[in-house]
């Protein structure tokens, strides 16, 4: 299970403008978290997926608070985007697949 981190270099919040217009945010793959925090997020993602009886693909999004490192579930996206700028395909591409192969 791959993990991606959105790094917004301008503001506190990741906005529509950051993603679709200005392109000011950047992505870190894998997410730049301590190994034990990655394990915690991974475990919570699996638990959320199973609790909702999901089948097939899904993208589970979290927030990790600065300072406290508290992990907050944001959403379980059972139909993640597959455009060239979508996060879900970026994870597959980082693992070695090309966009057409996905």
């Amino acid at each position: 299970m791959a993990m991606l981190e959105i790094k917004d270099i301008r503001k506190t919040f990741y906005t529509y403008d950051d993603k679709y217009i200005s392109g000011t945010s950047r992505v870190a793959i894998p997410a730049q978290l301590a190994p034990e925090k990655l394990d915690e997020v991974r475990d919570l993602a699996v638990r959320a997926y199973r609790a909702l009886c999901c089948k097939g693909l899904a993208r589970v999004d979290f927030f990790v608070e600065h300072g406290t490192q508290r992990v907050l579930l944001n959403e379980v996206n059972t139909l993640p985007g597959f455009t060239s700028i979508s996060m879900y395909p970026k994870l597959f591409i980082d693992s070695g697949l090309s966009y057409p192969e996905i």
Side-chain angles (χ1 to χ4, degrees):
M1 178 186 316
M3 288 193 223
L4 170 148
E5 180 179 359
I6 298 169
K7 300 274 201 181
D8 182 354
I9 58 174
R10 289 191 315 137
K11 301 187 258 335
T12 304
F13 296 98
Y14 183 54
T15 66
Y16 180 90
D17 182 69
D18 295 325
K19 182 175 181 180
Y20 295 105
I21 299 170
S22 67
T24 56
S25 61
R26 58 188 171 86
V27 175
I29 303 172
Q32 297 173 345
L33 297 170
E36 60 274 2
K37 192 55 63 177
L38 291 171
D39 289 343
E40 179 184 352
V41 171
R42 189 175 293 111
D43 177 64
L44 289 170
V46 169
R47 289 173 51 203
Y49 181 90
R50 289 180 178 160
L52 295 172
C53 300
C54 294
K55 302 261 188 242
L57 61 89
R59 190 192 71 232
V60 185
D61 297 349
F62 294 90
F63 296 110
V64 178
E65 287 184 326
H66 288 285
T68 67
Q69 292 295 292
R70 184 171 67 148
V71 178
L72 304 164
L73 174 65
N74 178 45
E75 71 171 325
V76 178
N77 190 328
T78 58
L79 189 57
F82 272 90
T83 68
S84 61
I85 65 166
S86 297
M87 301 306 154
Y88 201 78
K90 287 180 188 297
L91 293 167
F92 284 103
I93 291 166
D94 186 70
S95 72
L97 292 173
S98 68
Y99 188 77
E101 288 174 310
I102 298 168

